[in-house]
Amino acid sequence: MSGEAIALLVVSLVVVWGGLAVSIVALARRPERTDWPQGWQHEGGQEDRPDEPVEHDT
């Protein structure tokens, strides 16, 4: 392998594994979202969604 190929390989590995590491750290610091929009699950696991689907004008 040429030096340029090895450099590109190292950069690619740093980007991929670095992104994985940052994602794991972020998830470990804040594991559960508390700012869900209306209609998503709230504390206690109950949903705030209507029984019938909402029709939208398109």
Side-chain angles (χ1 to χ4, degrees):
M1 291 176 95
S2 67
E4 295 152 350
I6 292 173
L8 186 59
L9 175 67
V10 169
V11 169
S12 299
L13 289 173
V14 167
V15 168
V16 171
W17 290 105
L20 178 63
V22 169
S23 298
I24 290 171
V25 168
L27 185 59
R29 287 187 180 177
R30 192 171 179 186
E32 187 174 327
R33 289 190 60 175
T34 58
D35 59 340
W36 290 105
Q38 185 177 8
W40 292 87
Q41 283 191 341
H42 297 290
E43 294 178 17
Q46 296 179 350
E47 293 186 359
D48 228 3
R49 295 183 180 187
D51 293 335
E52 297 179 12
V54 178
E55 292 186 23
H56 298 280
D57 292 336
T58 55

